[in-house]
């Protein structure tokens, strides 16, 4: 072949290649997507009312795989026994009627925004109280159709879900809140839900809750049978641990301080009646207000909670301190009345003795009118009974000194005289109240912490 012919052949081939490349560059894939959608979803070609076939085109149930992404957990309400969660919910299933040509791998998937164009599983959240979709700025939902007929449905929703709680160990408790998803109309013969293999539930990193910590979550199945058939069900259990530091600062420490303040009255003087009464009444009212505030934030359950035991015992200690002052005041007044009666008796005896001495003197003057005084002996004979009686009254008993005893020294602080009975009550209370309260703390914390470990 001549050199000129070779040149023209190469030039012609280069022109053909450039033309083909230009034609490929002008291919509008969005137009291709429209044609494919019209082809697979056109009238008379696809019926969204008919469920997909089973595995490998059999007549078995359609398999729908579920996975969740927990974006946030807003609130966990104890009084309403519910919690609010925002999540991205995804479903994926195979519908062989939606297969299409991917143009040599150039079309990875087709995207729809209208869920009613294809068949959708009739899934619902069985423990839902409230819920809504997100439509700002556009509806947060999409459907992707892959070349081999797989359909992925994704939507962002916010839900308020029921969470029955057991508050016996409150606030040392752990709560399990569930998220249940089930089929409403299709039985297991037509539709089966399965968790996506690998990682069916994801949780956003650094999830912060005000008074709880998400310890872990578990996925499980919860198929239910009714008189209309068996329905497929999935559930995820979220295990929340209550943060105790909040309640330690807001409840336990203030209650301890109120109880200790009520013991100050034991160290005040018995005569400081206004100070002791005002201190007891103030601490009692403050403790009652604290208890009512705690109960206002909890539901009215029929069983006793751990916080009820704590507040009830603290209220009892404060009330006992007030009753102790009433007992001290009563003992003090009784002692005063006894002292007054003793004083009156002494005065009466003294008057009687003075009157008797005056009568004796007048008798002596009357018997000797001539001023002749009978001299009586000043010394009594040993056999005289009057002398023996006087000696007994004047006798002084000398006892040998005893060794000091620690117990007797401590017991000497509790005088037994009537006038010191009120002081004895205060001294006993200073020791008894703190010891009993310390013993209660030991029993309380060991009991409830041990029960918490048993439940774990």
């Amino acid at each position: 072949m001549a050199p000129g012919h070779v040149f023209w052949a190469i030039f012609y081939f280069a022109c053909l290649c450039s033309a083909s490349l230009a034609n490929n560059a002008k291919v509008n894939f969005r137009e291709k997507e429209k044609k494919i959608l019209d082809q697979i979803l056109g009238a008379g070609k696809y019926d969204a009312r008919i469920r997909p076939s089973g595995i490998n085109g059999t007549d078995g149930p359609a398999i729908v795989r579920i996975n969740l992404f927990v974006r946030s957990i807003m609130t966990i309400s104890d009084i309403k026994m519910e919690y609010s969660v925002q999540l991205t919910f995804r479903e994926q299933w195979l519908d062989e009627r939606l297969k299409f040509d991917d143009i040599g791998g150039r079309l990875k998937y087709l995207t729809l925004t209208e869920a009613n164009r294809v068949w959708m599983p009739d899934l619902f959240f069985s423990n839902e109280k409230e819920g809504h979709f997100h439509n700002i700025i556009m509806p947060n939902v999409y459907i992707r159709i892959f070349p081999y007929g797989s359909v992925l449905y994704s939507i962002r929703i916010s839900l308020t879900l029921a969470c029955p709680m057991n508050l016996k160990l409150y606030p040392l408790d752990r709560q399990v809140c569930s998220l249940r998803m089930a089929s409403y109309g299709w039985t297991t013969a037509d539709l089966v839900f399965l968790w996506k293999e690998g990682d069916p539930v994801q949780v956003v990193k650094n999830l912060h809750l005000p008074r709880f910590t998400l310890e872990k979550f578990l996925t499980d199945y919860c198929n239910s049978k009714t008189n209309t058939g068996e329905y497929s069900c999935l559930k995820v259990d979220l295990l929340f641990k209550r943060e105790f530091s909040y309640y330690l600062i807001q409840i336990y420490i203030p209650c301890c301080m109120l109880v200790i303040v009520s013991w100050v009255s034991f160290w005040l003087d018995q005569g400081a009646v206004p100070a002791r009464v005002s201190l007891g009444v103030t601490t009692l009212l403050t403790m009652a207000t604290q208890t009512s505030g705690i109960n206002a934030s909890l539901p009215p359950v029929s069983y006793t909670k751990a916080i009820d035991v704590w507040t009830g015992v603290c209220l009892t200690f404060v009330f006992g301190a007030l009753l102790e002052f009433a007992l001290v005041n009563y003992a003090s007044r009784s002692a005063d009345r006894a002292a007054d009666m003793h004083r009156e008796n002494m005065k009466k005896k003294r008057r009687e003795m003075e009157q008797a001495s005056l009568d004796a003197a007048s008798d002596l003057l009357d018997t000797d009118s001539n001023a002749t005084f009978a001299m009586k002996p000043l010394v009594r004979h040993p056999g005289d009974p009057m002398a023996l009686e006087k000696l007994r009254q004047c006798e002084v008993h000398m006892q040998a000194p005893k060794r000091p005893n620690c117990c007797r020294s401590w017991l000497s602080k509790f005088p037994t005289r009537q006038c010191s009975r009120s002081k004895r009550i205060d001294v006993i209370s200073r020791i008894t109240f703190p010891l009993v309260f310390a013993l209660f703390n030991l029993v309380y914390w060991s009991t409830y912490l041990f029960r918490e470990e048993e439940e774990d």
Side-chain angles (χ1 to χ4, degrees):
M1 183 181 291
H5 291 86
V6 174
F7 172 78
W8 287 109
I10 294 174
F11 178 77
Y12 179 74
F13 180 75
C15 291
L16 290 176
C17 291
S18 62
S20 62
L21 290 175
N23 290 332
N24 290 336
K26 294 180 180 178
V27 174
N28 189 344
F29 288 99
R30 305 289 79 79
E31 187 67 25
K32 290 289 185 181
E33 290 180 7
K34 178 181 180 303
K35 290 181 180 180
I36 293 173
L37 288 174
D38 292 339
Q39 180 182 354
I40 62 177
L41 298 177
K45 295 184 179 180
Y46 184 87
D47 193 344
R49 299 173 298 176
I50 308 301
R51 71 169 180 86
S53 58
I55 300 176
N56 298 326
T58 61
D59 195 28
I63 305 299
V64 179
R65 300 189 179 275
I66 307 295
N67 74 310
L68 306 173
F69 176 65
V70 180
R71 293 181 172 272
S72 63
I73 298 175
M74 282 75 75
T75 58
I76 301 177
S77 175
D78 296 317
I79 190 168
K80 294 182 179 180
M81 290 194 178
E82 63 184 22
Y83 71 105
S84 300
V85 61
Q86 183 186 127
L87 51 87
T88 298
F89 174 74
R90 304 185 187 98
E91 296 177 305
Q92 193 165 7
W93 65 94
L94 182 63
D95 193 343
E96 295 182 352
R97 297 173 295 177
L98 300 177
K99 289 183 179 180
F100 62 91
D101 183 14
D102 59 354
I103 314 177
R106 297 184 181 182
L107 283 180
K108 294 183 178 180
Y109 53 80
L110 303 175
T111 302
L112 293 178
T113 56
E114 298 177 1
N116 57 357
R117 296 289 301 275
V118 298
W119 176 87
M120 292 289 299
D122 59 344
L123 181 141
F124 77 105
F125 298 93
S126 58
N127 60 332
E128 173 203 354
K129 286 187 173 182
E130 295 179 0
H132 66 272
F133 302 116
H134 293 265
N135 298 317
I136 300 174
I137 299 177
M138 292 294 292
N140 298 165
V141 58
Y142 68 79
I143 297 176
R144 290 177 180 175
I145 303 175
F146 295 88
Y148 52 91
S150 178
V151 181
L152 173 63
Y153 174 74
S154 178
I155 187 171
R156 187 166 72 99
I157 53 179
S158 292
L159 300 171
T160 300
L161 304 165
C163 178
M165 298 182 181
N166 185 355
L167 300 174
K168 289 184 179 180
L169 299 181
Y170 177 91
L172 300 168
D173 58 334
R174 284 178 170 86
Q175 300 298 335
V176 178
C177 295
S178 298
L179 175 63
R180 294 174 175 265
M181 300 159 286
S183 173
Y184 190 81
W186 298 96
T187 64
T188 53
D190 297 314
L191 179 62
V192 173
F193 292 119
L194 297 176
W195 286 111
K196 185 179 179 181
E197 297 178 357
D199 194 9
V201 178
Q202 303 93 37
V203 179
V204 66
K205 294 181 179 179
N206 300 323
L207 179 65
H208 295 288
L209 298 173
R211 287 181 293 177
F212 289 89
T213 300
L214 180 62
E215 286 192 329
K216 60 182 178 180
F217 52 88
L218 303 172
T219 57
D220 201 356
Y221 296 90
C222 54
N223 292 2
S224 60
K225 291 184 179 180
T226 65
N227 55 3
T228 58
E230 182 179 1
Y231 298 90
S232 183
C233 175
L234 303 178
K235 73 171 181 177
V236 54
D237 293 330
L238 305 173
L239 179 60
F240 296 103
K241 180 182 179 182
R242 199 181 298 272
E243 288 291 342
F244 180 68
S245 58
Y246 168 82
Y247 300 93
L248 180 65
I249 297 173
Q250 297 294 326
I251 296 177
Y252 283 92
I253 292 179
C255 289
C256 281
M257 294 174 65
L258 286 174
V259 173
I260 294 173
V261 167
S262 68
W263 299 342
V264 174
S265 63
F266 303 154
W267 301 87
L268 297 179
D269 187 71
Q270 305 168 19
V273 176
R276 297 186 69 163
V277 170
S278 60
L279 181 62
V281 173
T282 302
T283 53
L284 183 63
L285 292 178
T286 306
M287 191 67 215
T289 304
Q290 180 86 346
T291 303
S292 61
I294 295 170
N295 292 329
S297 61
L298 294 173
V301 294
S302 59
Y303 48 82
T304 302
K305 303 179 288 293
I307 195 67
D308 295 335
V309 176
W310 175 264
T311 55
V313 172
C314 290
L315 188 63
T316 302
F317 270 92
V318 174
F319 184 67
L322 186 61
L323 290 183
E324 188 270 348
F325 169 68
L327 183 61
V328 167
N329 191 24
Y330 174 76
S332 177
R333 288 187 288 107
S334 299
D336 291 341
R337 286 196 299 267
D340 293 340
M341 291 179 62
H342 180 70
R343 195 177 298 111
E344 291 294 331
N345 291 333
M346 294 298 295
K347 289 181 179 179
K348 185 177 180 180
K349 289 181 180 180
R350 190 178 298 110
R351 286 195 300 267
E352 290 177 353
M353 292 177 64
E354 291 176 355
Q355 185 65 32
S357 62
L358 290 176
D359 292 341
S362 62
D363 290 341
L364 290 173
L365 292 174
D366 291 340
T367 55
D368 193 357
S369 58
N370 296 325
T372 303
F373 298 96
M375 300 300 293
K376 297 181 181 180
L378 295 176
V379 180
R380 297 286 182 181
H381 295 287
D384 194 348
M386 293 298 294
L388 294 176
E389 182 67 23
K390 293 294 185 179
L391 288 174
R392 289 195 191 97
Q393 293 179 0
C394 298
E395 182 180 3
V396 179
H397 298 278
M398 301 299 293
Q399 297 180 355
K402 297 182 179 180
R403 295 180 180 179
N405 192 324
C406 296
C407 294
R408 290 183 179 179
S409 301
W410 184 75
L411 290 174
S412 64
K413 297 180 180 180
F414 309 103
T416 57
R417 292 181 300 165
Q418 181 72 16
C419 60
S420 301
R421 184 180 300 172
S422 58
K423 181 65 175 178
R424 180 176 57 179
I425 296 174
D426 273 342
V427 174
I428 294 175
S429 299
R430 294 172 190 172
I431 301 172
T432 305
F433 273 72
L435 286 179
V436 176
F437 189 68
L439 180 62
F440 161 71
N441 274 270
L442 179 63
V443 175
Y444 178 87
W445 295 113
S446 60
T447 300
Y448 283 101
L449 291 178
F450 180 72
R451 288 179 61 183
E452 183 185 11
E453 292 177 358
E454 280 187 346
E455 290 195 353
D456 292 345

